[in-house]
Amino acid sequence: MRFNDKTVIVTGAAGGIGGAISARFAAEGAQVVVTDVNAEGAEATVAAILAQGGKARALASDIAQPEGCRAIVENVMPPKAPSTCCATMPASTGAATCWR
């Protein structure tokens, strides 16, 4: 498992490509933080990951807004956090400004 002891943040993960990427990271041992503006969809992705024995939690957040990005960082990345990576799958290209 390539992602043991690592946290992976996946945005736009309520379904589609983001949901599939979340499931794959979980299958590789990652603790996946499933984020999306669609809270119910994010919870459904988490439920599917947990049902397969993976580790995941949902975080409703709109990365098109700076406060949404801050919420992710503040909730996921404690000081001196172990390895963390992020995969963004926004439905809107406007969200890319969040990570600058």
Side-chain angles (χ1 to χ4, degrees), residues 38-94:
N38 175 352
E40 288 180 18
E43 290 288 351
T45 297
V46 168
I49 290 170
L50 296 177
Q52 294 296 314
K55 297 176 280 187
R57 67 183 175 107
L59 178 62
S61 185
D62 181 359
I63 66 166
Q65 304 300 320
E67 54 274 4
C69 295
R70 275 192 293 277
I72 293 170
V73 171
E74 290 170 1
N75 282 287
V76 177
M77 301 176 72
K80 298 184 180 181
S83 249
T84 303
C85 72
C86 181
T88 60
M89 302 297 129
S92 160
T93 57

